[in-house]
Amino acid sequence: MVKPTAIKNNIRALRFAADEMTQDALAKEIGVTRQTIIAIEQGRYSPSLEAAFKIALALGVGLEDVFTYAPPASKE
Amino acid sequence: MVKPTAIKNNIRALRFAADEMTQDALAKEIGVTRQTIIAIEQGRYSPSLEAAFKIALALGVGLEDVFTYAPPASKE
DNA sequence: GCTTAATGTATACTATTTTTTACACTGTGC
DNA sequence: GCACAGTGTAAAAAATAGTATACATTAAGC
């Protein structure tokens, strides 16, 4: 099963909004590696709740401003 | 290192508020096992962002109404 | 043309979350 | 007493998230 993450985020946009913060800077600020930021930005996997909270905190916005859950589209 | 989850939740309270929903019912509704609900309720680990979103949805509240991040208390 | 910063890709590895199965405990109804 | 619902515990295995390292690409500055 593939399940390509039902969660979207606008970390990239918010990074630029937040004083042009680089992936590396963000990664360091929240205590993860750059790889993690890249993978999350690209939606390759959704972060842990903890990582998500830290990211929102670092970007100065609420959790739900960064990540949005796209429900699997029920058939209707 | 132990890292006992910096995230708190009030799933249990919200379950009762939401029509006395049982752990089993909630688990089924969001597509995880009962074990997962128990572990999360007890704070044994924090869920994935996806699981967290589903739980909030099933309980009819916002993500940040269910889970709260307790920052590691900076020294001040 | 060389260097550097920022981003992306890949792979192997570790850690954490989630599942599965199985059993224990408590309260309620019969 | 026995059955059942709801909750809890435990441990192994599978799935997913995150790390570490190394290398490629692009744009900017010198």
Side-chain angles (χ1 to χ4, degrees):
Chain A
M1 224 237 236
V2 268
K3 200 173 259 237
T5 308
I7 291 179
K8 289 195 296 190
N9 72 84
N10 36 0
I11 294 178
R12 183 167 280 266
L14 289 167
R15 266 199 301 118
F16 284 90
D19 204 29
E20 309 258 317
M21 181 182 274
T22 67
Q23 294 179 329
D24 199 45
L26 176 57
K28 273 174 183 129
E29 189 145 329
I30 72 178
V32 301
T33 62
R34 192 168 61 85
Q35 293 306 337
T36 301
I37 299 297
I38 292 176
I40 296 171
E41 265 194 19
Q42 293 176 157
R44 290 206 266 126
Y45 54 69
S46 32
S48 64
L49 230 207
E50 204 160 333
F53 265 115
K54 285 189 202 148
I55 291 172
L57 212 56
L59 293 174
V61 297
L63 186 27
E64 296 179 281
D65 293 319
V66 187
F67 302 95
T68 52
Y69 178 55
S74 32
K75 60 309 306 234
E76 36 156 332
Chain B
M1 223 235 233
V2 269
K3 197 175 262 242
T5 309
I7 290 179
K8 290 194 295 190
N9 73 83
N10 35 1
I11 294 179
R12 182 167 280 265
L14 289 168
R15 265 200 302 120
F16 283 91
D19 204 30
E20 308 258 318
M21 180 182 275
T22 66
Q23 294 179 329
D24 199 44
L26 176 57
K28 273 176 184 126
E29 188 145 330
I30 73 178
V32 300
T33 62
R34 192 169 61 86
Q35 292 307 336
T36 301
I37 300 298
I38 292 177
I40 295 171
E41 264 194 20
Q42 292 177 158
R44 289 205 268 127
Y45 53 70
S46 30
S48 64
L49 229 206
E50 205 161 331
F53 264 116
K54 286 189 201 147
I55 291 171
L57 211 57
L59 293 173
V61 297
L63 185 28
E64 295 178 281
D65 292 319
V66 187
F67 302 95
T68 52
Y69 178 56
S74 32
K75 55 319 300 246
E76 40 157 330

